[in-house]
């Protein structure tokens, strides 16, 4: 039975409900009378609990676009992928309310005479300030750094943007303080020393690779910090890769009612009794939310079970569903429906449902039994996972050119061991880089380490699919142009009847013209509604062929600053490529 902590309760306890419009116009000072608060450890805890609402919920993790980027196709496209973003008048992520609350706390926590408590909760506050600014520099690049509460007439409110390098330097100070003062007891729901190390690992990998691939300089020390933070967490021995059975362990992580805290460093907790539930089943299995399906380029990226490359097989491009799913990395069959799939609680096998998946590669990650289909899912959702830290460590060292086979053995190997896959061989990867991955990542580092960098990107994409990382990965690698490529699904040779899982039963009819007589249990897709790249001659399913995907290398790596902010603060400048008033 899971015990449930609703961190937003502290907002109500303090009289700071986000529903109070007046509060949004005032600092917490007018609500709290700080001379009478922040005096005890309990009050520090109560106030900092409110910061947890800054963490992403299930919607952002597994569904929101453009987070899934080129991993996933739907029957709609995010404006970031379509190239239709416009400069907004307000909002759009340029909000600072959470930062004011954090800074207000840090200006008043010294009133507590319990030094141990103060250091602990100051560490949590500074974790969240680093987390807040991480989102801001990813989204906007240069942003103003504020570490104090400003009054409405304070000149600091009208400062220019600080450089991302200055902001990131301050973020490092914050996260190092959080690491030094965080609790060492493990918790799947609370910020600890280990959560802070995981955030440092994540934000330093992003910033270091972003600087490297965007030519900003000073990237090596940041990637060294990413590797050091990752290695400290690895060497602590506090976390491990969850293992049970190679054919089920990966899937079990994401359907667990309670987060498996041997691997989950921080998770969003859900409980039907509160009620606080999410809708993963509904989003993945209904036709109402875009009919999501894994994109074929990701399916192609999964290795064969023996560690060889699927894309080295001569006819891989024209393999049909049953054949292409045989003898693959077991994570594939634990992420999407493959032949023989049985849903939790069912004895019947199920093939992909084309009414709810535009590509035919239908997700099972996060999907529970049918009793949860009405938006009532209660499996906890990952925010920081040990597997990500292992991948961050390997990638940082690979980009620095310092990666050794021993480094791979204590990072990538652990993930492959979970599913009984062969280890990544550093020398083999670099002596024979994968040409398929070279076409996937045109801007990756060339030279002696190219092969292993590509293989780590493969591993990252597979291991972390649908956990909200992919879009940011493309941003930092300067690979946004990948989003312009067509999104494909399964291959079919043309109209005809298909037994998808080769069990002797008809599963799918693709037809043109008049609808054939329908048989029970059979899916019917009309050619034209289901679009094949070569029409009646067959080919891969093409997702949204009538919508032009567009990526502008000069402006689309950042979001525009709202025009209202530019008008209020004349010292702010707009991001390159976005004019002051429009697109």
């Amino acid at each position: 039975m899971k015990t449930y902590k609703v961190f937003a309760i502290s907002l109500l306890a303090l009289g700071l409900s986000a529903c109070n419009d007046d509060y949004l116009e005032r600092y917490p000072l007018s609500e709290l009378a700080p001379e009478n608060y922040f005096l005890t450890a309990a009050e520090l805890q109560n106030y900092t609990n409110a910061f947890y609402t800054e963490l992403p919920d299930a919607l952002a993790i597994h569904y929101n676009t453009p987070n899934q980027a080129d991993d996933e196709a739907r029957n709609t496209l995010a404006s970031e992928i379509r190239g239709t973003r416009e400069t907004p008048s307000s909002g759009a992520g340029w909000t600072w309310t959470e930062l004011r609350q954090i800074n207000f706390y840090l200006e008043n926590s010294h009133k507590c005479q319990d030094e141990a408590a103060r250091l602990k909760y100051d560490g949590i506050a500074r974790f969240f300030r680093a987390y807040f600014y991480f989102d801001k520099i990813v989204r906007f690049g240069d942003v103003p750094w504020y570490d104090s509460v400003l009054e409405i007439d304070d000149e600091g409110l009208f400062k220019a943007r600080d450089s991302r390098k200055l902001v990131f330097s301050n973020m490092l100070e914050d996260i190092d303080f959080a690491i030094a003062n965080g609790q060492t007891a493990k918790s799947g729901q609370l910020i600890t020393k280990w959560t802070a190390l995981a955030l440092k690992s994540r934000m330093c990998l992003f910033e270091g690779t972003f600087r490297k691939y965007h030519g900003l300089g000073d990237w090596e020390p940041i990637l060294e910090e990413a590797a050091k933070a990752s290695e400290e967490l690895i060497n602590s021995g506090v976390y491990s890769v969850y293992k049970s059975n190679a054919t089920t362990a990966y899937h079990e992580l994401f359907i667990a009612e309670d987060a498996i805290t041997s691997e989950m460093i921080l998770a969003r907790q859900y409980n039907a009794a509160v009620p606080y539930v999410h809708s993963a089943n509904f989003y993945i299995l209904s036709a109402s939310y875009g009919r999501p399906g894994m994109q074929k380029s990701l399916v192609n990226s999964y290795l064969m079970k023996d560690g060889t490359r699927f894309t080295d097989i001569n006819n891989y491009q024209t393999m049909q569903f049953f054949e292409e799913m045989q003898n693959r990395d077991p994570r594939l069959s634990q992420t999407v429906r493959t032949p023989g799939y049985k849903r939790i609680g069912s004895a019947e096998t199920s093939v992909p449902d084309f009414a709810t998946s535009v590509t035919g590669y239908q997700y099972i990650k996060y999907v529970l039994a049918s009793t949860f289909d009405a938006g009532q899912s209660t499996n906890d959702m990952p925010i920081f996972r040990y597997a990500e830290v292992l991948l961050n460590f390997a990638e940082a060292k690979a980009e620095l050119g310092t990666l050794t086979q021993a480094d791979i053995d204590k990072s990538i190997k652990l993930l492959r061991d979970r599913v009984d896959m062969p280890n990544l061989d550093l020398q083999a990867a670099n002596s024979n880089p994968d040409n398929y991955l070279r076409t996937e990542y045109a801007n990756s580092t060339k030279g002696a380490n190219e092969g292993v960098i590509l293989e780590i990107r493969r591993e990252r994409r597979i291991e972390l699919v649908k956990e909200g990382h992919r879009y940011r990965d493309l941003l930092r690698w300067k690979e946004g142009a990948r989003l312009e490529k067509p999104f494909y699904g399964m291959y079919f040779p043309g109209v005809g009847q298909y037994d998808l899982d080769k069990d002797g039963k008809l599963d799918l009819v693709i037809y043109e013209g008049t609808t054939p007589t329908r048989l029970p249990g059979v899916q019917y897709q009309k050619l034209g509604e289901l679009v094949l790249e070569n029409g009646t001659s067959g080919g891969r399913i093409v997702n949204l062929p009538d919508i032009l995907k567009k990526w502008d290398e000069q402006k689309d790596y950042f979001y525009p600053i709202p025009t209202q902010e530019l008008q209020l603060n004349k010292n702010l400048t707009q991001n390159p490529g976005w004019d002051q008033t429009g697109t």
Side-chain angles (χ1 to χ4, degrees), residues 158-385:
F158 305 99
K159 68 184 293 187
R161 297 201 281 174
D162 291 306
S163 74
R164 69 182 297 146
K165 291 184 179 180
L166 182 146
V167 172
F168 197 81
S169 176
N170 291 334
M171 289 165 56
L172 280 177
E173 290 184 14
D174 275 347
I175 202 62
D176 284 342
F177 184 94
I179 292 166
N181 294 284
Q183 70 175 50
T184 56
K186 232 176 17 174
S187 172
Q189 287 79 47
L190 299 174
I191 303 304
T192 66
K193 173 187 180 76
W194 318 116
T195 325
L197 280 168
L199 174 57
K200 184 175 181 180
S201 168
R202 179 185 292 181
M203 73 187 205
C204 287
L205 181 71
F206 181 93
E207 183 64 10
T209 49
F210 190 95
R211 291 185 190 185
K212 179 178 182 178
Y213 285 101
H214 289 261
L216 303 183
D218 302 323
W219 55 270
E220 293 97 334
I222 306 303
L223 285 183
E224 288 168 0
E225 289 294 318
K228 282 165 50 180
S230 303
E231 191 163 29
E232 182 177 350
L233 202 156
I234 292 167
N235 291 344
S236 73
V238 174
Y239 293 91
S240 61
V241 172
Y242 170 74
K243 293 180 71 175
S244 58
N245 184 296
T247 61
T248 61
Y250 179 79
H251 186 234
E252 287 167 2
L253 268 177
F254 307 103
I255 60 170
E257 176 78 6
D258 297 307
I260 298 173
T261 54
S262 59
E263 181 168 343
M264 295 293 184
I265 300 172
L266 186 69
R268 173 70 75 172
Q269 196 175 21
Y270 293 88
N271 193 307
V274 173
Y276 187 53
V277 296
H278 63 87
S279 302
N281 276 24
F282 189 65
Y283 290 136
I284 292 171
L285 299 176
S286 78
S288 302
Y289 285 88
R291 299 165 57 206
M294 185 182 283
Q295 223 245 111
K296 193 170 186 63
S297 71
L298 175 49
V299 175
N300 289 344
S301 297
Y302 285 80
L303 297 170
M304 303 301 292
K305 183 69 175 67
D306 63 4
T308 58
R309 301 163 182 161
F310 172 72
T311 51
D312 283 349
I313 300 172
N314 286 334
N315 65 331
Y316 84 89
Q317 293 176 314
T318 56
M319 278 190 189
Q320 294 186 53
F321 174 63
F322 181 85
E323 185 182 5
E324 71 177 337
M325 292 296 172
Q326 302 305 305
N327 302 312
R328 303 292 293 277
D329 180 333
R331 285 173 291 188
L332 181 56
S333 64
Q334 296 175 64
T335 304
V336 297
R337 293 187 186 186
T338 55
Y341 166 71
K342 295 180 182 179
R343 189 171 176 188
I344 298 169
S346 174
E348 301 295 324
T349 58
S350 299
V351 298
D353 180 1
F354 287 84
T356 56
S357 177
V358 293
T359 66
Y361 301 119
Q362 189 161 30
Y363 289 109
I364 63 172
K365 190 168 180 174
Y366 305 120
V367 172
L368 304 178
S370 59
T371 51
F372 296 92
D373 283 356
Q376 301 295 313
S377 297
T378 55
N379 43 327
D380 291 349
M381 302 295 283
I383 298 174
F384 288 99
R385 185 159 70 91

